[in-house]
Amino acid sequence: MTEDTFTAFHHGRRIASGAPEAVLAAAWAALTRDSVEPRVFSDRTGAAQPLAPPSGATPAKAGRGRPRLGVSAREVTLLPRHWDWLSAQPGGASAALRRLVEAAARAPESPEAARRRAADAACAVLSALAGDAPGAEAAVRALYAGDPATFSRETAAWPDDVRDYLAHLAAPAFSAAAAPSA
């Protein structure tokens, strides 16, 4: 799996794109010049990223759990027969779940899953940067309908950097949607 890249926006303009360290450094530099916090997005998922302090800052005190492994506890709801099966696996339920998740993560992504992931990423960024812009709702509908012409038409009047970034994120959603089904 390749490393995620990021893109930062400040006042509707793209200020950086690329490796996380470089993008976060540019975002911090913009924040020191202006009180408006830049928006940083994952190019793969479209998720807004928190603006973490620059390296060398004092980290927050770690809580309970296994922080060195990056383990976080969450609730999982399963049927009793699923818990029975997991408990019977080598290493117990947690180890079995981790192995299942790792195997699924290594499996090739289906074209429909790739299309949906790209559409979800573009939609997340669209909502954050242009959710109240004219044509935003129609652009989202076009995105999920696999209609690049309508998407382009609805976003044409938006700021160049926002429009171009959204077109970049949405492109795999449209190319995968156009691919013939087997």
Side-chain angles (χ1 to χ4, degrees), residues 9 12 14 129-130 151-170:
F9 284 83
R14 184 183 341 210
L129 293 179
F151 184 82
S152 293
R153 184 176 65 248
E154 295 297 336
T155 60
W158 295 359
D160 293 346
D161 286 342
V162 172
R163 181 192 63 234
D164 294 346
Y165 184 54
L166 289 170
H168 168 74
L169 291 179

Side-chain angles (χ1 to χ4, degrees), residues 42-143:
S42 162
D43 294 338
R44 187 176 60 80
T45 66
Q49 300 298 307
L51 195 53
S55 61
T58 305
K61 186 178 181 217
R64 296 174 61 175
R66 301 169 76 183
R68 283 176 283 150
L69 298 177
V71 174
S72 62
R74 303 246 177 118
E75 183 177 327
V76 176
T77 307
L78 299 172
L79 294 172
R81 69 177 181 269
H82 298 146
W83 285 116
D84 292 342
W85 182 85
L86 284 169
S87 297
Q89 300 307 304
S94 292
L97 285 171
R98 284 192 296 274
R99 284 191 302 273
L100 290 169
V101 169
E102 287 296 324
R106 283 191 297 271
E109 188 174 48
S110 73
E112 176 56 26
R115 186 199 72 73
R116 182 64 185 212
R117 183 180 42 77
D120 288 347
C123 183
V125 173
L126 187 155
S127 296
L129 293 179
D132 59 353
E137 289 182 29
V140 170
R141 285 192 297 273
L143 177 63

Side-chain angles (χ1 to χ4, degrees), residues 7-22:
T7 300
F9 284 83
H10 192 239
H11 294 292
R13 304 261 322 150
R14 184 183 341 210
I15 59 170
S17 192
E21 300 80 24

